[in-house]
């Protein structure tokens, strides 16, 4: 028996070594963007880097269309008040979520695991990821149509080629991750802002300066509540995913300031630009204003530079949502799959029918952020949603809070009462906080 012991020990050692080797070989390569785990301290970024990425996220020309609707309904003074109030509401909401993202190091969809349960969080991944794929397709289709319009192309093949080419570029940027979006934003955002300010001053020349602009009487009608809802609605859904980037911040304070710069100042400027364009040229989109002025080259630069970085952010968002949904350590395959689906939607022309549907989802996404904020403040502020925490499969209380808050937001919209996204956020935050105080933290 003693003679067999060394052989048995040797076999056990060899088996253990083989098992360890197989485990090491099977261990997946960690995504440097940490889509399903907290961002470690050594991978955190400085304030300037974070500000550039978030500002590049919100300098988004389609936002100008919302500004155009406001410009037709309000005089200059009332317009500035509406933009300020709406931007403050949006900025405050996103800043709180961004602060949580920086403190936990987690994406929005992974935070949802702690709020809705390990399986309940799949609802958040499908909702947020699916919405971003839809908007990705809308933007790809917009680029194809405007480029064809600029050059007078009527061939559907030419449109398709443009859509596929720009989609590949945006997909590659998102696969490269945070660093890719940082460099694109760093180069394009200052140039886009310079061009946008130039168009604004050119617009003011058309109406005799600020005094002439203030003297113009609006022809449209819009209530204050609807106007503020319009401002908040421009980026409240995308802002719910701000933790995808603020989790790279070195402190919660940095995340808050970066969110204020991006969502209060950056988004507010784009709305104001759109309003100015609508008042002076009858067109809120500065890309089309440049086309009208005969500056097709600059118009295309503004189009590609702006939508490239914004759509790369969308691709990044559905990439990390897919990683959470299927519990994989890398976002790459989901960025690629989502980009293909979005491009197919654009090629089929489905994008023409998606905006209203996706806008409806804007009612159902903000309450998710409210639930996360309320639950975090009540249960996780001290421990910061630690990795490895035992979680229930479904947190039925928070799922119920989310459903009720969505119903309240939708009902408010149907009855034209208040600001639906804000009602959904506040209701979800208050109810989630209250119920979390009455229930144990661990599943």
């Amino acid at each position: 028996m003693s003679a067999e012991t060394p052989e048995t020990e040797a076999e056990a050692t060899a088996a253990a070594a083989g098992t360890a080797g197989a485990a090491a070989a099977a261990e997946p390569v960690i995504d440097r963007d940490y889509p399903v785990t907290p961002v470690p301290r050594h991978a955190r970024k400085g304030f300037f880097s974070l500000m550039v990425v978030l500002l590049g996220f919100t300098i988004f020309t389609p936002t100008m269309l919302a500004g155009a609707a406001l410009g037709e309904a309000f005089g200059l003074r009332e317009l500035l008040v509406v933009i300020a109030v709406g931007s403050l509401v949006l900025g405050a909401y996103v800043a709180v979520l961004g602060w949580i993202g920086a403190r936990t190091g987690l994406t929005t969809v992974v935070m949802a695991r702690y709020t809705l349960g390990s399986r309940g969080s799949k609802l958040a991944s499908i909702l947020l990821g699916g919405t971003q794929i839809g908007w990705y397709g809308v933007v790809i289709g917009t680029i194809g149509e405007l480029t064809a319009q600029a050059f007078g192309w009527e061939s559907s093949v030419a449109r398709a080629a443009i859509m596929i080419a720009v989609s590949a570029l945006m997909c590659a940027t998102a696969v490269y991750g945070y660093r890719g979006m940082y460099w694109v934003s760093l180069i394009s955002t200052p140039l886009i802002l310079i061009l946008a300010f130039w168009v604004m001053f050119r617009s003011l020349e058309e109406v005799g300066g600020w005094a002439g602009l203030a003297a113009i009487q609006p022809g449209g009608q819009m209530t204050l509540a609807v106007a503020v809802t319009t401002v908040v609605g421009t980026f409240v859904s995308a802002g719910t995913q701000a933790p995808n980037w603020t989790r790279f911040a070195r402190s919660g304070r940095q995340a808050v300031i970066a969110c204020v710069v991006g969502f209060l100042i950056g988004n507010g400027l784009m709305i104001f630009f759109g309003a100015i364009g609508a008042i002076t040229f009858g067109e809120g989109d500065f890309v089309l204003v440049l086309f009208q002025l005969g500056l097709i080259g600059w118009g295309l630069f503004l189009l590609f530079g702006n939508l490239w970085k914004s759509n790369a952010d969308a691709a990044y968002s559905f990439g990390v949502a897919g990683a959470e949904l299927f519990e994989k350590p890398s976002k790459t395959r989901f960025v690629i799959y989502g980009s293909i689906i979005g491009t197919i939607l654009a090629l089929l022309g489905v994008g023409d029918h998606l905006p209203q549907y996706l806008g409806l989802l804007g009612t159902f996404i903000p309450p998710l952020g409210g639930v996360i904020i309320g639950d975090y403040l009540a249960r996780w502020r001290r421990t910061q949603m630690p990795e490895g925490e035992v979680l229930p499969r479904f947190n039925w209380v928070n799922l119920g809070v989310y459903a009720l808050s969505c119903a309240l937001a939708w009902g408010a919209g149907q009855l034209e009462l208040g600001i639906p996204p804000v009602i959904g956020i506040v209701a979800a935050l208050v109810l989630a906080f209250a119920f979390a105080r009455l229930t144990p933290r661990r599943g």
Side-chain angles (χ1 to χ4, degrees), residues 1 31 74 151 178 231 243 278 443:
M1 185 172 181
D31 191 318
F74 294 94
F151 290 105
Y178 181 99
V231 176

Side-chain angles (χ1 to χ4, degrees), residues 13-29:
T13 302
T19 302
E27 184 178 353
V29 177

Side-chain angles (χ1 to χ4, degrees), residues 380-427:
W380 303 105
R381 187 173 180 180
R382 292 184 178 180
T383 58
Q384 305 306 322
M385 297 178 170
E387 191 174 8
E389 181 76 7
V390 178
L391 300 170
R393 290 170 63 85
F394 296 93
N395 186 323
W396 294 111
V397 173
N398 281 339
L399 285 167
V401 167
Y402 169 72
L404 176 60
S405 302
C406 286
L408 290 173
W410 181 82
Q414 294 298 305
L415 298 174
E416 297 184 356
L417 297 175
I419 305 171
V422 175
I423 290 173
I425 292 168
V426 173

Side-chain angles (χ1 to χ4, degrees), residues 86-158:
S87 297
L88 281 171
V89 172
L90 176 63
Y93 165 67
V94 176
V96 174
L97 271 178
W99 172 71
I100 296 174
R103 289 174 63 84
T104 62
L106 299 174
T107 65
T108 303
V109 290
V110 174
M111 286 194 291
R113 290 180 179 177
Y114 295 79
T115 300
L116 304 179
S118 60
R119 289 293 177 268
S121 65
K122 307 311 176 188
L123 170 65
S125 296
I126 293 172
L127 187 63
L128 295 177
T131 303
Q132 291 302 302
I133 290 175
W135 279 121
Y136 183 92
V138 170
V139 171
I140 292 296
T142 300
I143 291 177
E145 291 300 322
L146 289 180
T147 303
Q149 178 182 333
F151 290 105
W153 296 338
E154 297 183 0
S155 169
S156 58
V157 175

Side-chain angles (χ1 to χ4, degrees), residues 174-233:
V175 167
Y176 196 62
Y178 181 99
R179 289 187 296 173
M181 289 177 289
Y182 167 73
W183 284 109
V184 172
S185 296
L186 182 65
I187 295 170
S188 63
T189 301
L191 296 176
I192 289 168
L193 284 174
I194 291 171
L195 185 57
F197 273 107
W198 179 85
V199 176
M200 183 189 74
F201 289 122
R202 178 70 176 79
S203 299
L204 290 173
E205 291 178 4
E206 293 288 321
V207 294
W210 293 106
L213 183 66
I216 295 176
Q217 295 300 316
Q221 292 184 346
M222 183 183 294
T223 65
L224 181 63
V226 172
V228 174
T229 300
T230 299
V231 176
V232 175

